[in-house]
Coordinates of all heavy atoms in Angstrom, one line a residue:
Chain A
Y44 N 15.7 46.8 -29.0 CA 15.0 47.1 -27.8 C 15.6 48.3 -27.1 O 16.7 48.6 -27.2 CB 15.0 45.9 -26.8 CG 14.1 44.8 -27.2 CD1 14.6 43.7 -28.0 CD2 12.9 44.6 -26.7 CE1 13.8 42.6 -28.3 CE2 12.0 43.5 -27.0 CZ 12.5 42.6 -27.8 OH 11.7 41.5 -28.1
Q46 N 15.7 50.0 -23.1 CA 15.4 49.7 -21.7 C 15.6 50.9 -20.9 O 16.7 51.5 -20.9 CB 16.3 48.6 -21.2 CG 16.0 48.1 -19.8 CD 16.8 46.9 -19.4 OE1 18.0 46.8 -19.6 NE2 16.2 46.0 -18.7
R50 N 10.0 52.2 -18.2 CA 9.2 51.5 -19.2 C 9.7 50.1 -19.4 O 9.1 49.4 -20.2 CB 9.2 52.3 -20.5 CG 8.6 53.7 -20.3 CD 8.8 54.5 -21.6 NE 8.0 54.0 -22.6 CZ 6.7 54.5 -22.9 NH1 6.2 55.4 -22.1 NH2 6.0 54.0 -23.9
L52 N 11.7 46.9 -20.9 CA 12.3 46.6 -22.2 C 11.2 46.8 -23.2 O 10.2 46.1 -23.3 CB 12.7 45.1 -22.2 CG 14.1 44.7 -21.9 CD1 14.3 43.3 -21.7 CD2 15.1 45.2 -23.0
L54 N 10.2 46.9 -27.3 CA 10.6 46.6 -28.7 C 10.4 47.8 -29.6 O 9.3 48.4 -29.6 CB 9.8 45.4 -29.2 CG 10.1 45.0 -30.6 CD1 11.5 44.4 -30.8 CD2 9.0 44.0 -31.1
Y57 N 11.7 45.3 -35.5 CA 12.4 44.1 -35.8 C 12.4 43.8 -37.3 O 11.4 44.2 -38.0 CB 11.9 42.9 -34.9 CG 10.7 42.2 -35.3 CD1 10.7 41.1 -36.2 CD2 9.4 42.7 -34.9 CE1 9.5 40.4 -36.5 CE2 8.3 42.0 -35.2 CZ 8.3 40.9 -36.0 OH 7.2 40.2 -36.3
N59 N 13.1 40.8 -40.4 CA 13.1 39.4 -40.7 C 13.7 39.3 -42.1 O 13.2 39.9 -43.1 CB 11.7 38.8 -40.7 CG 11.8 37.3 -40.3 OD1 12.6 36.9 -39.5 ND2 10.9 36.5 -40.9
I64 N 9.7 44.4 -40.3 CA 8.4 43.7 -40.1 C 7.4 44.6 -39.3 O 6.2 44.7 -39.6 CB 8.5 42.3 -39.5 CG1 9.5 41.5 -40.4 CG2 7.2 41.7 -39.4 CD1 9.0 41.3 -41.8
D65 N 7.9 45.1 -38.2 CA 7.1 45.8 -37.3 C 7.9 47.0 -36.7 O 8.8 46.7 -35.9 CB 6.5 44.9 -36.2 CG 5.6 45.6 -35.3 OD1 5.3 46.8 -35.4 OD2 5.0 44.9 -34.4
F100 N 19.4 47.8 -26.7 CA 19.8 46.5 -27.0 C 19.5 46.1 -28.4 O 18.3 46.3 -28.8 CB 19.2 45.5 -26.0 CG 19.8 45.5 -24.6 CD1 19.1 46.2 -23.6 CD2 21.0 44.9 -24.3 CE1 19.6 46.2 -22.3 CE2 21.5 45.0 -23.0 CZ 20.8 45.6 -22.0
S106 N 14.7 32.5 -37.1 CA 13.3 32.3 -37.3 C 13.1 31.3 -38.4 O 13.1 31.6 -39.5 CB 12.6 33.6 -37.6 OG 12.7 34.5 -36.5
G107 N 12.8 30.1 -37.9 CA 12.5 29.0 -38.9 C 11.1 28.5 -38.7 O 10.2 29.3 -38.6
G109 N 10.2 26.9 -36.0 CA 9.9 26.9 -34.6 C 10.4 28.2 -34.0 O 10.7 29.2 -34.7
N110 N 10.4 28.3 -32.6 CA 10.8 29.5 -31.9 C 12.2 29.2 -31.4 O 12.5 28.2 -30.8 CB 9.9 29.7 -30.7 CG 8.5 30.1 -31.2 OD1 8.3 31.0 -31.9 ND2 7.5 29.3 -30.7
P112 N 15.7 30.9 -29.3 CA 15.9 31.9 -28.3 C 16.4 33.2 -28.9 O 17.1 33.3 -29.9 CB 17.0 31.3 -27.4 CG 16.9 29.8 -27.7 CD 16.4 29.7 -29.1
L113 N 16.2 34.3 -28.2 CA 16.7 35.6 -28.5 C 18.0 35.8 -27.8 O 18.2 35.5 -26.6 CB 15.7 36.6 -28.0 CG 15.6 38.0 -28.7 CD1 15.3 37.9 -30.1 CD2 14.6 38.8 -27.9
F115 N 20.9 38.5 -26.9 CA 21.1 40.0 -26.8 C 22.6 40.3 -26.9 O 23.4 39.6 -26.5 CB 20.6 40.5 -25.4 CG 19.1 40.6 -25.3 CD1 18.3 39.5 -25.0 CD2 18.4 41.8 -25.6 CE1 16.9 39.6 -24.9 CE2 17.1 41.9 -25.5 CZ 16.3 40.8 -25.1
G116 N 22.8 41.5 -27.4 CA 24.1 42.1 -27.4 C 24.3 42.8 -26.0 O 23.4 42.7 -25.2
N117 N 25.5 43.3 -25.8 CA 25.8 44.0 -24.5 C 25.2 45.3 -24.3 O 25.2 45.9 -23.2 CB 27.3 44.0 -24.3 CG 27.9 42.7 -24.0 OD1 27.3 41.9 -23.3 ND2 29.1 42.4 -24.5
Chain B
N43 N 2.6 31.2 -28.2 CA 2.9 29.8 -28.0 C 4.4 29.6 -27.5 O 4.9 28.4 -27.5 CB 2.7 29.0 -29.3 CG 3.6 29.6 -30.4 OD1 4.3 30.5 -30.2 ND2 3.4 29.1 -31.6
Y44 N 5.0 30.6 -27.1 CA 6.4 30.5 -26.7 C 6.7 31.5 -25.5 O 6.3 32.7 -25.6 CB 7.4 30.8 -27.8 CG 8.8 30.8 -27.5 CD1 9.4 29.6 -27.0 CD2 9.6 31.9 -27.6 CE1 10.8 29.6 -26.6 CE2 11.0 31.9 -27.3 CZ 11.5 30.8 -26.8 OH 12.9 30.7 -26.5
Y48 N 14.1 35.5 -18.9 CA 15.5 36.0 -19.0 C 15.9 36.5 -17.7 O 15.1 37.1 -16.9 CB 15.5 37.2 -20.0 CG 15.5 36.7 -21.5 CD1 14.3 36.3 -22.1 CD2 16.6 36.6 -22.2 CE1 14.2 35.8 -23.4 CE2 16.6 36.1 -23.5 CZ 15.4 35.8 -24.1 OH 15.3 35.3 -25.4
Q50 N 18.7 39.2 -15.9 CA 19.6 40.3 -16.2 C 20.3 40.7 -15.0 O 19.7 41.3 -14.0 CB 18.8 41.5 -16.8 CG 19.7 42.6 -17.3 CD 19.0 43.7 -18.0 OE1 17.8 43.9 -17.7 NE2 19.7 44.4 -18.9
K54 N 24.4 44.3 -17.1 CA 24.6 43.3 -18.2 C 23.4 43.1 -19.0 O 22.4 43.6 -18.8 CB 25.1 42.0 -17.5 CG 26.4 42.1 -16.7 CD 27.0 40.8 -16.4 CE 28.3 41.0 -15.7 NZ 29.0 39.7 -15.3
R55 N 23.6 42.2 -20.0 CA 22.5 42.0 -21.0 C 21.5 40.9 -20.4 O 22.0 40.0 -19.7 CB 23.1 41.5 -22.3 CG 23.9 40.3 -22.2 CD 24.7 40.1 -23.5 NE 25.8 39.1 -23.4 CZ 25.7 37.9 -23.8 NH1 24.6 37.5 -24.4 NH2 26.6 37.0 -23.6
P56 N 20.3 40.9 -20.9 CA 19.4 39.8 -20.5 C 19.9 38.5 -21.1 O 20.3 38.5 -22.3 CB 18.0 40.2 -21.1 CG 18.2 41.7 -21.4 CD 19.6 41.9 -21.7
L58 N 18.8 34.3 -21.6 CA 17.8 33.2 -21.5 C 18.2 32.2 -20.4 O 19.3 31.7 -20.4 CB 17.6 32.5 -22.8 CG 16.6 31.4 -22.8 CD1 15.2 32.0 -22.8 CD2 16.8 30.6 -24.1
R63 N 7.2 25.9 -24.2 CA 6.4 26.0 -25.4 C 5.0 25.6 -25.0 O 4.8 24.8 -24.1 CB 6.9 25.3 -26.6 CG 8.1 25.9 -27.2 CD 9.0 25.1 -28.0 NE 10.0 25.8 -28.7 CZ 11.1 26.3 -28.2 NH1 11.4 26.0 -26.9 NH2 12.0 27.0 -28.8
F101 N 12.9 38.6 -16.2 CA 11.9 39.1 -17.2 C 11.2 37.8 -17.8 O 11.8 36.9 -18.2 CB 12.5 39.9 -18.3 CG 13.0 41.2 -18.0 CD1 14.4 41.3 -17.7 CD2 12.2 42.3 -17.9 CE1 14.9 42.5 -17.3 CE2 12.8 43.5 -17.5 CZ 14.1 43.7 -17.3
K105 N 5.6 35.2 -26.9 CA 5.8 35.5 -28.3 C 4.5 35.8 -28.9 O 3.5 35.0 -29.0 CB 6.3 34.2 -28.9 CG 6.8 34.3 -30.4 CD 8.2 35.0 -30.4 CE 8.8 35.0 -31.7 NZ 9.4 33.7 -32.1
D108 N 2.1 38.4 -35.4 CA 1.7 39.6 -36.2 C 1.1 39.2 -37.5 O 1.2 39.9 -38.5 CB 2.8 40.5 -36.3 CG 4.0 39.9 -37.1 OD1 3.9 38.7 -37.5 OD2 5.1 40.5 -37.2
S111 N 4.3 36.7 -39.9 CA 5.7 36.6 -39.7 C 6.0 35.8 -38.4 O 5.2 35.1 -37.9 CB 6.3 38.0 -39.6 OG 7.7 38.0 -39.5
Q112 N 7.3 35.9 -38.0 CA 7.7 35.1 -36.8 C 7.2 35.7 -35.5 O 7.4 35.2 -34.5 CB 9.2 34.9 -36.8 CG 9.6 34.0 -37.9 CD 9.1 32.6 -37.7 OE1 9.1 32.1 -36.6 NE2 8.6 32.0 -38.7
G113 N 6.6 36.9 -35.6 CA 6.2 37.5 -34.4 C 7.3 38.1 -33.6 O 8.4 38.2 -34.1
N114 N 7.1 38.6 -32.4 CA 8.1 39.2 -31.6 C 7.9 38.9 -30.1 O 6.8 38.5 -29.8 CB 8.2 40.7 -31.9 CG 6.9 41.3 -31.5 OD1 6.6 41.6 -30.4 ND2 6.1 41.6 -32.5
L115 N 8.9 39.0 -29.3 CA 8.8 38.8 -27.9 C 8.3 40.1 -27.2 O 8.8 41.1 -27.4 CB 10.1 38.4 -27.3 CG 10.5 37.0 -27.3 CD1 11.9 36.8 -26.7 CD2 9.5 36.1 -26.6
F117 N 7.9 41.6 -23.5 CA 8.4 41.4 -22.2 C 7.5 42.0 -21.1 O 6.9 43.0 -21.2 CB 9.8 42.0 -22.1 CG 10.9 41.2 -22.8 CD1 11.1 41.4 -24.1 CD2 11.7 40.3 -22.1 CE1 12.1 40.7 -24.8 CE2 12.7 39.6 -22.7 CZ 12.9 39.8 -24.1
K119 N 7.5 43.7 -17.2 CA 8.3 44.8 -16.7 C 9.4 44.4 -15.8 O 10.3 45.2 -15.4 CB 7.4 45.7 -15.9 CG 6.4 46.5 -16.7 CD 7.1 47.7 -17.4 CE 6.2 48.6 -18.1 NZ 5.5 48.1 -19.3

Side-chain angles (χ1 to χ4, degrees):
Chain A
Y44 283 90
Q46 186 175 38
R50 301 173 71 90
L52 267 169
L54 177 68
Y57 80 95
N59 210 37
I64 301 300
D65 183 358
F100 285 102
S106 296
N110 294 303
L113 205 60
F115 284 85
N117 286 323
Chain B
N43 59 3
Y44 176 61
Y48 285 79
Q50 187 178 26
K54 298 195 175 179
R55 60 193 166 100
L58 179 73
R63 287 163 172 77
F101 293 94
K105 191 77 170 284
D108 60 5
S111 182
Q112 288 298 315
N114 59 79
L115 274 179
F117 284 85
K119 288 285 192 289

